[in-house]
């Protein structure tokens, strides 16, 4: 099926594995079925990620991260067939930037381009929200809550504009189609034009909005301290539906495709101790799961499961299909933040001054990290081999993903409840010292910072060369490159 390949002196390119993976994908495309194509693309992604580490060059780190980022989308999300292939093409583009033999790069690109345009594209439109270079549609960027942006940032940013709300902003912004969506303690959801910083519309609730918005198919979903989950038309700012829980909703909603792949489901926790699963279109509940205490954070989604911690000091592992408990793991203390879920491991901090990694398959804690006697509220970002998270010890921490051993820490002047976002070789995070920081991923050294003056508990949204974040002073700030 494929042309003969010349011999290589670098044997660990594993050419035979790549060709085998391509052959599997070719067969899947010939007889299209979504599960077969996604399985084949998952195998291709793993093969692509194996190659760069064998031929690491000066440019390899950032492109390897890009390949890893897109692999999350293939494995963890419920993309439709058309978009699954398009994400696969992004893997190849990152793969092409590596210093590999020309014929191999050309072969991969030609194969995927042929696949992209020859594959039937009449299937159902994508329902999901996944971070892309020009959009950040949900808290932490993707359902696994891994905090990775495919955007590229310069080494220095300028303040582009500020937008004033009527109260402190703890909600983290989302960005889709040139619009920013963010909640405020003024009980309004704000829609702001990304280019100008001007108000597009506001939507009123009866409570403060700490929940970060989720954008799917032209609808914005968010919770409020009034106990309601809202669905609002993203263009007009008009309510589509709402659902009343028995207490406040502070965490961001997450999403997953239904088991039959025909609809989108939403997941959100409430202070009424329950995790809810809704149909995104109708607002009707599919199932609920009751815990023993408040649910403050957002549930992470991957591999047919959702995982979250709560004030009952447990990690709950729930089947997405029917809301039944798979297992629960003792965390050791109550959990106020959101964790990141990837490859059957869950990473999260708790109030008893520890950051932990739970092995979900084994049902136990794989490792614990403890620096000083301060709790962890910040949600982690996951790279290929690192975990990055903030602490109330005023530090941004970077540890080994496999062991939890410290790689570096970066000291700020205030507690770090803001959740970091990794953008290739850079990390962006806010601090209660009133500064927005850009830090080098490799060594934890400061690249750039900007003093806003009031605490930043909101987490940044990163697209293209732009960073957007809310502040306790009630403003939304946009940073980027000014055009002359």
């Amino acid at each position: 099926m494929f042309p003969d390949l010349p011999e290589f002196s670098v044997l660990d390119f594993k050419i035979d594995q790549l060709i085998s993976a391509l052959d599997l994908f070719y067969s899947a495309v010939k007889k299209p079925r979504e599960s077969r194509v996604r399985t084949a693309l998952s195998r291709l992604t793993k093969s692509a990620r194996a190659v760069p580490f064998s031929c690491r060059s000066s440019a390899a780190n950032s492109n390897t991260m890009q390949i890893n980022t897109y692999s999350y989308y293939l494995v963890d999300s419920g993309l439709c067939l058309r978009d699954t292939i398009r994400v696969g093409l992004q893997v190849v583009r990152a793969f092409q930037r590596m210093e590999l033999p020309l014929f191999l790069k050309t072969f991969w690109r030609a194969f995927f381009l042929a696949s992209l345009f020859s594959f039937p594209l009449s299937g159902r439109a994508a329902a999901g929200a996944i971070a892309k270079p020009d959009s950040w549609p949900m808290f932490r960027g993707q359902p696994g809550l891994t905090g990775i942006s495919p955007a590229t940032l310069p080494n220095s940013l300028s303040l582009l504009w500020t937008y004033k709300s009527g109260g402190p902003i703890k909600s983290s912004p989302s960005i889709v189609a040139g619009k920013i969506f963010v909640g405020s303690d003024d009980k309004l959801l704000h829609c702001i034009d990304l280019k100008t910083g001007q108000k597009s519309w506001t939507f009123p609730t009866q409570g403060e909005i700490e929940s970060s918005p989720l954008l799917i198919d032209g609808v914005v979903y968010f919770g409020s301290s009034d106990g309601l989950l809202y669905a609002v038309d993203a263009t007009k700012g008009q309510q589509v539906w709402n659902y009343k829980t028995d207490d406040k909703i502070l965490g961001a909603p997450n999403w997953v495709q239904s088991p039959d792949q025909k609809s989108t489901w939403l997941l959100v926790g409430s202070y009424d101790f329950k995790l809810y699963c809704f149909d995104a279109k109708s607002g009707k509940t599919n199932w609920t799961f009751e815990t023993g205490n408040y649910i403050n954070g957002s549930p992470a989604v991957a591999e047919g499961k959702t995982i979250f911690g709560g004030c009952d000091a447990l990690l709950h592992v729930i089947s997405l299909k029917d809301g039944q408990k798979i297992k629960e793991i003792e965390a050791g203390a109550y959990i106020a933040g959101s964790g990141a879920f990837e490859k059957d491991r869950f990473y999260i901090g708790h109030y008893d001054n520890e950051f932990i990694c739970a092995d979900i398959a084994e049902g136990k804690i794989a490792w614990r990290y403890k620096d000083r006697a301060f709790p962890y509220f910040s949600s982690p970002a996951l790279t290929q081999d690192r975990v990055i998270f903030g602490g109330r010890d005023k530090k941004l921490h970077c540890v080994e993903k496999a062991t939890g051993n410290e790689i570096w820490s970066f000291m700020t002047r205030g507690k770090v409840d803001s959740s970091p976002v990794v953008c290739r070789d850079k990390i962006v995070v806010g601090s209660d010292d009133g500064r927005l920081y850009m830090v080098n991923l490799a060594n934890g050294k400061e690249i750039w910072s900007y003093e806003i003056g009031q605490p930043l508990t909101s987490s940044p949204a990163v697209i293209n060369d732009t960073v957007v974040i809310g502040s306790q002073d009630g403003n939304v700030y946009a940073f980027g490159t000014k055009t002359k």
Side-chain angles (χ1 to χ4, degrees):
M1 180 181 299
F2 299 105
D4 292 335
L5 301 175
E7 294 291 327
F8 282 102
S9 58
V10 184
L11 298 178
D12 56 351
F13 270 16
K14 301 182 180 179
I15 300 298
D16 57 333
Q17 293 185 18
L18 290 172
I19 296 304
S20 176
L22 285 165
D23 195 18
L24 176 66
F25 182 72
Y26 180 85
S27 299
V29 170
K30 281 295 185 182
K31 296 181 180 179
R33 192 171 73 240
E34 191 161 357
S35 60
R36 294 180 70 222
V37 173
R38 189 172 291 113
T39 299
L41 274 172
S42 175
R43 182 171 168 184
L44 276 175
T45 306
K46 292 176 182 177
S47 299
R49 282 188 292 169
V51 173
F53 289 104
S54 302
C55 55
R56 191 176 293 277
S57 67
S58 60
N61 285 329
S62 62
N63 291 309
T64 300
M65 189 178 298
Q66 280 290 89
I67 290 170
N68 192 50
T69 299
Y70 288 119
S71 76
Y72 294 146
Y73 305 163
L74 295 175
V75 176
D76 294 347
S77 67
L79 296 178
C80 74
L81 205 52
R82 173 177 180 165
D83 288 308
T84 301
I85 294 175
R86 287 189 170 173
V87 172
L89 185 59
Q90 299 302 318
V91 174
V92 178
R93 286 173 179 163
F95 186 71
Q96 278 197 293
R97 290 191 291 267
M98 309 302 294
E99 292 181 1
L100 299 175
L102 177 62
F103 89 92
L104 185 59
K105 293 192 219 178
T106 304
F107 177 74
W108 270 68
R109 182 165 176 78
F111 180 85
F112 265 91
L113 283 172
S115 301
L116 179 65
F117 292 111
S118 64
F119 201 87
L121 301 180
S122 58
R124 181 178 56 81
I130 296 290
K132 301 180 180 70
D134 62 351
S135 70
W136 185 262
M138 64 177 292
F139 181 63
R140 312 305 292 140
Q142 52 277 121
L145 306 184
T146 51
I148 302 292
S149 170
T152 302
L153 290 176
N155 288 335
S156 181
L157 300 172
S158 300
L159 178 64
L160 302 179
W161 51 257
T162 62
Y163 171 90
K164 182 67 175 177
S165 78
I169 295 178
K170 302 164 192 165
S171 170
S172 299
S174 299
I175 308 173
V176 172
K179 301 293 182 183
I180 300 166
F181 303 85
V182 66
S184 171
D185 281 6
D186 64 6
K187 304 180 182 180
L188 297 174
L189 181 75
H190 297 260
C191 177
I192 308 163
D193 185 88
L194 175 63
K195 185 176 181 179
T196 65
Q198 298 299 307
K199 180 177 74 174
S200 294
W201 51 258
T202 57
F203 179 85
T205 73
Q206 298 303 308
E208 299 174 349
I209 304 174
E210 187 173 329
S211 174
S212 301
L214 165 67
L215 274 292
I216 301 179
D217 288 344
V219 179
V220 54
Y221 303 91
F222 64 98
S224 171
S225 295
D226 63 13
L228 289 165
L229 178 69
Y230 291 91
V232 175
D233 185 286
T235 302
K236 301 176 181 178
Q238 297 175 353
Q239 181 172 288
V240 178
W241 55 260
N242 68 51
Y243 183 93
K244 177 68 174 176
T245 70
D246 293 328
D247 210 327
K248 59 187 176 182
I249 300 173
L250 300 186
N254 205 336
W255 71 274
V256 67
Q257 282 196 321
S258 61
D260 62 8
Q261 303 291 300
K262 293 181 179 179
S263 58
T264 301
W265 289 359
L266 306 176
L267 298 163
V268 71
S270 170
Y271 265 53
D272 66 5
F273 303 3
K274 294 178 182 177
L275 180 75
Y276 293 84
C277 177
F278 299 94
D279 180 85
K281 187 174 181 179
S282 67
K284 295 179 179 179
T285 55
N286 297 306
W287 51 259
T288 60
F289 177 84
E290 187 163 3
T291 69
N293 213 318
Y294 307 134
I295 302 174
N296 190 72
S298 178
V301 170
E303 303 164 12
K305 299 183 282 288
T306 182
I307 305 180
F308 62 96
C311 293
D312 56 6
L314 294 173
L315 300 180
H316 299 275
V317 186
I318 311 299
S319 169
L320 287 170
K321 181 179 180 180
D322 52 16
Q324 296 299 304
K325 180 177 76 174
I326 298 175
K327 62 183 65 174
E328 59 186 28
I329 302 170
E330 291 279 353
Y334 80 77
I335 296 169
S338 306
F341 184 26
E342 185 228 349
K343 295 181 181 176
D344 232 16
R345 287 201 164 193
F346 186 65
Y347 306 82
I348 198 166
H350 62 56
Y351 204 78
D352 197 23
N353 316 323
E354 283 186 333
F355 188 93
I356 60 176
C357 168
D359 186 316
I360 303 306
E362 297 292 329
K364 64 182 183 181
I365 304 301
W367 53 254
R368 299 177 185 270
Y369 173 85
K370 190 168 185 176
D371 186 14
R372 299 189 293 167
F374 291 91
Y376 297 97
F377 281 67
S378 170
S379 299
L382 306 182
T383 71
Q384 180 75 15
D385 56 1
R386 300 183 180 201
V387 184
I388 303 98
F389 52 93
R392 292 198 163 178
D393 58 359
K394 305 181 181 180
K395 291 183 179 181
L396 181 68
H397 299 265
C398 178
V399 302
E400 293 180 354
K401 199 174 188 180
T403 65
N405 293 332
E406 183 178 281
I407 299 174
W408 53 256
S409 63
F410 172 78
M411 178 65 77
T412 74
R413 301 175 184 87
K415 62 185 181 181
V416 184
D417 285 349
S418 176
S419 300
V421 173
V422 174
C423 314
R424 301 203 183 203
D425 59 347
K426 300 179 179 68
I427 304 166
V428 182
V429 68
S431 169
D432 271 21
D433 66 11
R435 286 182 176 270
L436 178 66
Y437 291 94
M438 185 190 298
V439 178
N440 187 293
L441 173 61
N443 56 28
K445 302 297 184 183
E446 181 178 322
I447 298 173
W448 168 90
S449 68
Y450 185 94
E451 185 171 4
I452 288 172
Q454 293 296 314
L456 300 173
T457 55
S458 171
S459 301
V462 184
I463 69 163
N464 296 325
D465 61 352
T466 303
V467 177
V468 179
I469 193 167
S471 170
Q472 293 275 17
D473 66 7
N475 286 320
V476 176
Y477 293 83
F479 299 89
T481 303
K482 286 186 176 180
T483 56
K484 295 182 180 180

